[in-house]
Amino acid sequence: MTGNTNTIGRPRAFDVDKALQKALEVFWEKGYEGTSLPDLTEAMGINKPSLYAAFGNKEQLFLKAIELYENRPCGFFQPALLQPTAYLMAEHMLFGAAAASSDPNTPKGCLMVQGALTCSDNANSVKQMLIEKRRGGELQVQQRLERAQAEGDLAADVDCAALACFIGVQLHGMSIQAASGTSSERLHQVAAIALQAFKNAT
Amino acid sequence: MTGNTNTIGRPRAFDVDKALQKALEVFWEKGYEGTSLPDLTEAMGINKPSLYAAFGNKEQLFLKAIELYENRPCGFFQPALLQPTAYLMAEHMLFGAAAASSDPNTPKGCLMVQGALTCSDNANSVKQMLIEKRRGGELQVQQRLERAQAEGDLAADVDCAALACFIGVQLHGMSIQAASGTSSERLHQVAAIALQAFKNAT
DNA sequence: GGTATTTTGTACTGGTCGGTAAATATATAG
DNA sequence: CTATATATTTACCGACCAGTACAAAATACC
């Protein structure tokens, strides 16, 4: 779908994956509604009909950008869930988020948060999608904690939902701070405080 | 400026303060750019020329809404700073934010965060203003902690800037969670975990 | 009453939004 | 070569954006 597999007809003059990468950066920086089509076409180096032919429309392009975001900049998330203990999971989550939110090579903050935190009525479906993505991530953390509980890695009286929400607060809160210009070092300090809190809460 | 002090001419048919309150709610819900002038005029019960005559323009109206927000929904902030100890300050901050972000009588989340977290180039001044407001709040927390240090209320080796940033992360993170639908009860649980972390970090 | 002053309602402006029609350009297939 | 298929370019579409001109309406002052 994204690759240029056609052998017939005029070939594409741009790299679809590179263009998507550029679109991701713009959406990340300006949000879904703050990004205009000229913003996108300029960054991607293509014109509007090419964009529509390759990606559908603005919303579908955003969905593809989110997908890419989950695999690359937010790529610390799934591996963190696979860590052998709840503590190591929390550690990888917190420090991974601190690093990703303040990565000097990408826009600051988290696309899942700032992509469409608020919006006009037109973009409510996008906003809702991001809400569900965030809640889905938190649920995965909760389920990982519950698994740790079943494995005896975590005390039985720990409230896994509350603890997962606490971790979510750290991830989202750090992304806001990063978007406000907080340094990577400071975020790592905060992650360390939060990790200590996690340890004490278990 | 906001009151109808004129004695001459046709009197205003609406209450400026009530209209501002309505504008605040819309901005809070949809963000600065997500809010259109029809959104505003409909909620405020007035038409555009009345809005412009009373408030200047959209950006100035937003500034007035922010001012109102700081005094009312975000009114827990300054009193928290006045608490006699750093711990009590943190307690009031965390639980005040948990309550305000999930208040059933207002939009969810924090206007300072979701008013313009990302935006188009046109609204960069608004986004920047909110960034500075957030950083200003964090600085006030930091200075309050430094005062506590000077008073012997807080150990000398505590990193006040890091701790203030940690509190900022909680406030902003909880507001994201609230905007995602997290319940007031859950946020209070998280605030309790964070308060414990604050205690252990001091 | 009449006049000055302010607000109101309506209609409009130029500009930008997301999205597309139509023509041209570049490739393969025969 | 011709025919077909796809991509690119340019120009355009209706809708909406923030903001305003203008005239009618409602008050106070005289």
Side-chain angles (χ1 to χ4, degrees):
Chain A
M1 192 75 181
T2 52
N4 186 1
T5 56
N6 296 321
T7 174
I8 199 169
R10 178 171 174 172
R12 256 196 199 109
F14 64 97
D15 182 318
V16 175
D17 294 329
K18 281 191 167 71
L20 178 58
Q21 174 70 37
K22 288 294 183 186
L24 164 59
E25 286 171 19
V26 182
F27 279 133
W28 196 346
E29 178 94 31
K30 300 187 175 182
Y32 176 69
E33 283 197 311
T35 300
S36 70
L37 281 175
D39 287 337
L40 289 168
T41 54
E42 189 187 355
M44 299 165 87
I46 61 179
N47 44 34
K48 280 193 277 186
S50 296
L51 189 156
Y52 278 80
F55 300 103
N57 63 12
K58 188 186 178 186
E59 181 167 350
Q60 289 168 34
L61 174 58
F62 184 75
L63 295 181
K64 291 193 171 71
I66 286 283
E67 196 178 337
L68 175 57
Y69 179 77
E70 288 180 299
N71 290 330
R72 305 288 232 83
C74 211
F76 67 88
F77 194 90
Q78 293 298 331
L81 291 174
L82 298 178
Q83 290 296 311
T85 68
Y87 178 83
L88 285 174
M89 180 271 285
E91 184 179 59
H92 280 71
M93 279 290 173
L94 293 168
F95 287 101
S101 285
S102 60
D103 187 331
N105 300 315
T106 66
K108 307 304 174 195
C110 172
L111 178 59
M112 305 285 219
V113 173
Q114 66 210 35
L117 186 55
T118 55
C119 62
S120 77
D121 296 337
N122 296 327
N124 255 324
S125 62
V126 173
K127 169 178 151 188
Q128 209 57 39
M129 184 265 291
L130 288 182
I131 288 178
E132 280 155 25
K133 288 260 182 200
R134 293 197 298 267
R135 295 187 70 81
E138 186 178 326
L139 184 59
Q140 288 185 281
V141 171
Q142 177 183 337
Q143 289 169 341
R144 178 64 187 82
L145 293 175
E146 286 165 350
R147 200 194 91 194
Q149 230 168 17
E151 291 169 345
D153 173 36
L154 209 60
D157 64 341
V158 168
D159 187 333
C160 293
L163 205 49
C165 187
F166 173 76
I167 290 181
V169 165
Q170 309 311 310
L171 301 197
H172 302 150
M174 286 194 292
S175 88
I176 302 293
Q177 297 289 61
S180 310
T182 299
S183 73
S184 177
E185 295 71 27
R186 173 75 18 94
L187 287 183
H188 279 78
Q189 290 180 306
V190 170
I193 297 174
L195 181 60
Q196 200 61 34
F198 178 88
K199 191 177 181 182
N200 290 326
T202 58
Chain B
M1 194 75 182
T2 52
N4 186 0
T5 56
N6 297 322
T7 173
I8 198 169
R10 178 170 175 173
R12 256 198 198 105
F14 66 97
D15 183 317
V16 175
D17 294 329
K18 281 193 168 68
L20 179 57
Q21 173 71 37
K22 287 295 183 186
L24 165 58
E25 286 172 19
V26 182
F27 280 132
W28 196 346
E29 179 93 33
K30 300 186 177 185
Y32 176 68
E33 284 197 311
T35 300
S36 70
L37 281 174
D39 287 337
L40 289 167
T41 54
E42 189 188 354
M44 299 164 87
I46 64 180
N47 43 34
K48 280 193 276 187
S50 297
L51 187 156
Y52 278 82
F55 300 102
N57 62 14
K58 189 187 178 184
E59 181 166 350
Q60 290 168 34
L61 174 59
F62 184 75
L63 294 181
K64 292 192 170 71
I66 287 283
E67 198 177 336
L68 175 58
Y69 179 77
E70 287 180 300
N71 291 330
R72 305 288 232 83
C74 208
F76 67 87
F77 195 90
Q78 292 299 329
L81 291 173
L82 298 176
Q83 289 296 309
T85 68
Y87 178 83
L88 285 173
M89 181 272 285
E91 183 179 60
H92 279 72
M93 278 294 171
L94 293 168
F95 287 100
S101 285
S102 59
D103 187 331
N105 299 316
T106 66
K108 308 306 175 194
C110 171
L111 178 58
M112 306 285 216
V113 173
Q114 67 208 36
L117 186 55
T118 55
C119 61
S120 77
D121 296 337
N122 297 327
N124 255 324
S125 62
V126 173
K127 169 179 151 185
Q128 210 57 37
M129 182 267 290
L130 288 181
I131 287 177
E132 279 154 24
K133 289 261 182 199
R134 293 197 299 268
R135 294 186 70 81
E138 186 178 324
L139 184 59
Q140 287 184 282
V141 172
Q142 177 182 338
Q143 289 168 341
R144 177 65 188 84
L145 292 175
E146 287 165 350
R147 201 194 90 196
Q149 229 167 17
E151 290 169 346
D153 173 34
L154 209 59
D157 64 342
V158 168
D159 186 334
C160 293
L163 205 49
C165 187
F166 173 77
I167 291 182
V169 164
Q170 308 311 309
L171 267 47
H172 303 149
M174 284 194 292
S175 88
I176 302 294
Q177 297 289 62
S180 311
T182 298
S183 74
S184 177
E185 295 72 27
R186 171 78 15 96
L187 287 184
H188 278 79
Q189 290 179 304
V190 170
I193 297 174
L195 181 59
Q196 201 61 36
F198 177 88
K199 192 177 180 184
N200 291 327
T202 59

